[in-house]
Amino acid sequence: MVKELIKTKNLKLWFTDNYVLHDLDFTVYEKKITALIGPSGCGKSTLLRSFNRMNDLIPECKIEGEILLEGQNIYDSKADVTDVRTKIGMVFQRPNPFPKTIYNNVAYGLQIRGEKRKSVLDDVVEKSLRDAWIWDEVKDRLHTSALSLSGGQQQRMCIARALANQPKVLLLDEPTSALDPKSTAKIEELCIDLKDKVTILIVTHNIAQAGRISDYTTFMYLGDIIEFGETKRVFTVPKDKRTEDYLTGVFG
Amino acid sequence: MNKRKLQEIVGVNFLRLGVIFTAFFLISFLYIIFSKGGSVLSWTFFTDFPREGMTTGGIYPAIVGTLYLTILSILIALPLGVFTAIYMVHLAKPYWLMRIVRIAVNTLAGVPSIIYGLFGLTLFVRIMQLEVSLISGALTLAILALPVIINASEEAIRSVPRSFREGSLALGATERQTIMRVIVPTALPNILTGAIISIGRVAGETAPIMFTAATFYSRMLPTSINHEVMALPYHIYALMTEGSKPDQQVPIAYGTAVVLLLLVMFVSATAIIIRYKIRKSRKW
């Protein structure tokens, strides 16, 4: 039986007067991959960034409603935003390694929480890099700059960096749109491998990608969730005409 | 010959003329300073005290004094400037305060340096009763260097990609940790370049230290920040305007100018090397 990990209740979001997310009720199931698809500007990235409160950085943004992570509202006034972001990690569209060594990039999450013991850091760095399938490529150069890695390697290192926090949820914001097909394939396989450990929510422009890797698919259009369901069902027998049109490429 | 071709030739030669003029001034400048000052340069010129009413001996205390003034003023201005810049980029509230600070910084950058001297005299020497001293001069020079350091730091901090900040915050870092661990280290090389450029400026200023720190002659090196000091630019000024033996004083003044130039050149070269290294390592 699948367990509900995140639920949004009446989630509404504005940028100044622009009503972006329209009263969304949405569920993310534990240890599954949920894909968010939809045309540009439909609000899927904004929804994704609501889950780790990254929209807090935008002063014009106003949010109403609740997002419950295991029953706790992450927008509660008592909720600690750094704690939320530790539990719900994020990987961005463009790989964004810090200009530090590979080791210090991956250890960053622990270091900011005050972990200084070298043995602990060493273990977590190795485990995270292994989990992100990049250990063998970097084990001999952990102390060189992360900027020397290729784009695909950088993105996997960013996944490792997020995994080092042992998050419950990993948010992926079009993680392969800046990568070549080979690196993309590797990250897709990696996602499937990771879902035993972490719940994944992925925004993608690539419909085929959503079909290949996700268990659930959400189709968004103009700030509304039009359709949500198991990927197989959404892709084969969409209930809504707009979902069908989007999936078949009538609009995009 | 057609008209366009003629315009082309005239245009290019006009530019060439500009280059030749610039080169002429630059080369004759260096030639005059070095030829007039080169004769007094020797090892003892760097290591000796001035003797017999400035007519012979070295300029060691002035070199030390300029070094002390410069280092102390940068040590004061650098943290202040970097903190201000961080605040202006990342907190930037309230809006009216930011506007005032920005106007103040840009105004300070355009103030003639003699006015800094008068200001330092009033505030540090008189009101704060720091007397004519190393610390009064360093504080005055620090204010002179602040706009340069703030502007360079602000530029450096602003040019740190947004994605670094987002990446750090998304890993659960606080705003303060993000600034201290990611943004400042990333911006640091550029901040330092700005600081080095202002070192060149501070080292060469005469007017701000004239009333606040500098002395014509000192028999000993300063041993505390409350002592007055000799300084290279002021030493040149003093040699040219005071004393009764211009024949002996003038070459020493030019020699001092050479030392000051070498010092500033050395500092600028360091800045260029640092900038070169940053550009090479910048890949994001």
Side-chain angles (χ1 to χ4, degrees):
Chain A
M1 188 57 206
V2 288
K3 192 183 139 204
E4 292 176 351
L5 185 66
I6 300 181
K7 274 186 91 67
T8 75
K9 282 189 179 167
N10 304 105
L11 184 72
K12 298 176 189 172
L13 185 146
W14 293 261
F15 291 127
T16 323
D17 294 329
N18 187 10
Y19 189 27
V20 181
L21 299 179
H22 305 172
D23 204 354
L24 303 183
D25 291 302
F26 178 58
T27 306
V28 181
Y29 294 103
E30 189 172 34
K31 303 211 166 141
K32 299 286 176 196
I33 299 176
T34 305
L36 286 166
I37 58 171
S40 300
C42 69
K44 55 191 190 303
S45 279
T46 305
L47 176 60
L48 190 79
R49 293 165 72 93
S50 301
F51 290 114
N52 67 343
R53 295 187 55 171
M54 288 305 276
N55 287 324
D56 291 16
L57 303 181
I58 303 165
E60 302 84 43
C61 174
K62 196 179 90 176
I63 293 186
E64 274 179 19
E66 294 182 338
I67 296 181
L68 304 171
L69 171 67
E70 295 181 316
Q72 302 281 323
N73 181 13
I74 63 167
Y75 281 94
D76 190 274
S77 56
K78 286 187 210 107
D80 178 357
V81 63
T82 61
D83 192 43
V84 168
R85 290 178 186 152
T86 310
K87 285 183 185 149
I88 305 182
M90 183 164 193
V91 173
F92 296 81
Q93 185 169 0
R94 295 197 157 271
N96 60 347
F98 305 133
K100 300 175 184 286
T101 62
I102 295 166
Y103 184 96
N104 282 330
N105 262 279
V106 180
Y108 186 80
L110 276 100
Q111 285 169 339
I112 53 177
R113 264 176 295 287
E115 182 60 68
K116 289 200 178 70
R117 285 168 295 175
K118 194 171 177 304
S119 59
V120 175
L121 293 174
D122 285 352
D123 287 350
V124 171
V125 168
E126 176 171 346
K127 182 171 184 315
S128 308
L129 288 167
R130 279 188 193 281
D131 286 348
W133 291 4
I134 190 177
W135 172 253
D136 289 332
E137 291 157 67
V138 301
K139 64 182 180 209
D140 299 323
R141 48 170 175 154
L142 288 176
H143 296 285
T144 58
S145 169
L147 299 170
S148 65
L149 299 171
S150 73
Q153 289 174 326
Q154 287 186 3
Q155 196 62 308
R156 275 179 284 138
M157 192 215 70
C158 289
I159 293 174
R161 191 171 69 180
L163 289 174
N165 277 345
Q166 294 182 297
K168 291 188 193 306
V169 184
L170 200 55
L171 308 173
L172 306 176
D173 189 0
E174 298 183 38
T176 60
S177 65
L179 304 180
D180 61 273
K182 210 174 155 200
S183 305
T184 300
K186 190 143 193 179
I187 287 190
E188 288 181 7
E189 288 167 41
L190 170 61
C191 286
I192 295 169
D193 180 66
L194 281 174
K195 73 176 179 180
D196 296 335
K197 302 182 185 95
V198 61
T199 305
I200 292 175
L201 196 55
I202 179 170
V203 164
T204 178
H205 258 120
N206 182 337
I207 297 169
Q209 180 172 67
R212 282 194 294 269
I213 66 172
S214 70
D215 301 299
Y216 295 91
T217 295
T218 307
F219 172 63
M220 289 184 70
Y221 185 61
L222 299 176
D224 288 305
I225 290 176
I226 305 295
E227 185 143 0
F228 172 74
E230 289 190 35
T231 300
K232 257 186 221 145
R233 205 271 301 151
V234 173
F235 273 63
T236 49
V237 277
K239 288 177 186 158
D240 195 287
K241 181 80 174 63
R242 286 168 291 182
T243 314
E244 190 181 337
D245 286 349
Y246 182 71
L247 291 175
T248 53
V250 176
F251 70 98
Chain B
M1 201 187 297
N2 68 33
K3 197 178 159 207
R4 291 204 319 150
K5 208 154 197 175
L6 191 71
Q7 281 176 333
E8 172 79 8
I9 289 168
V10 171
V12 168
N13 280 308
F14 210 72
L15 299 181
R16 196 169 281 153
L17 206 67
V19 173
I20 289 169
F21 261 112
T22 310
F24 169 76
F25 283 127
L26 211 68
I27 290 166
S28 58
F29 166 81
L30 288 176
Y31 174 76
I32 288 169
I33 300 290
F34 277 86
S35 64
K36 286 197 153 189
S39 61
V40 299
L41 289 188
S42 66
W43 183 243
T44 52
F45 190 67
F46 287 92
T47 57
D48 252 12
F49 277 65
R51 275 180 278 118
E52 294 167 32
M54 308 282 153
T55 54
T56 176
I59 54 165
Y60 178 59
I63 297 174
V64 171
T66 286
L67 224 51
Y68 281 179
L69 276 171
T70 310
I71 292 169
L72 195 58
S73 65
I74 296 299
L75 285 181
I76 297 165
L78 191 60
L80 262 180
V82 172
F83 294 157
T84 308
I86 291 171
Y87 192 93
M88 285 167 75
V89 176
H90 280 291
L91 299 160
K93 281 180 211 164
Y95 182 69
W96 58 267
L97 179 66
M98 285 307 102
R99 271 198 74 83
I100 291 174
V101 171
R102 206 171 295 277
I103 291 168
V105 168
N106 290 333
T107 311
L108 278 179
V111 171
S113 56
I114 185 76
I115 297 176
Y116 283 100
L118 290 175
F119 166 79
L121 174 69
T122 311
L123 182 65
F124 302 126
V125 179
R126 298 273 158 74
I127 297 176
M128 292 171 72
Q129 299 190 332
L130 295 170
E131 305 298 326
V132 173
S133 63
L134 184 53
I135 186 69
S136 293
L139 285 167
T140 312
L141 288 172
I143 294 170
L144 177 106
L146 260 181
V148 180
I149 291 181
I150 290 173
N151 284 333
S153 306
E154 199 188 339
E155 187 60 37
I157 291 166
R158 242 179 241 292
S159 67
V160 175
R162 262 176 71 96
S163 63
F164 289 5
R165 174 162 177 250
E166 290 197 328
S168 169
L169 292 171
L171 287 165
T174 62
E175 194 78 40
R176 187 190 65 84
Q177 287 173 324
T178 301
I179 290 169
M180 296 313 291
R181 287 169 183 259
V182 175
I183 292 171
V184 172
T186 308
L188 195 63
N190 280 351
I191 292 175
L192 289 181
T193 313
I196 290 168
I197 289 166
S198 64
I199 287 176
R201 168 116 200 256
V202 162
E205 282 292 349
T206 319
I209 56 170
M210 224 151 68
F211 318 126
T212 57
T215 177
F216 182 34
Y217 178 70
S218 170
R219 234 179 303 171
M220 48 170 201
L221 294 177
T223 52
S224 108
I225 55 169
N226 298 317
H227 289 169
E228 43 183 22
V229 291
M230 291 180 66
L232 292 170
Y234 186 69
H235 195 59
I236 298 171
Y237 173 76
L239 284 167
M240 297 300 286
T241 56
E242 288 173 39
S244 54
K245 294 192 176 117
D247 295 349
Q248 283 140 314
Q249 284 173 212
V250 169
I252 297 179
Y254 278 95
T256 309
V258 170
V259 173
L260 186 52
L261 272 180
L262 289 176
L263 201 82
V264 174
M265 272 182 191
F266 172 75
V267 167
S268 306
T270 317
I272 290 163
I273 290 167
I274 289 179
R275 208 164 30 215
Y276 174 73
K277 286 200 169 157
I278 298 164
R279 285 194 186 139
K280 240 175 58 172
S281 67
R282 179 163 283 180
K283 277 195 204 146
W284 61 81

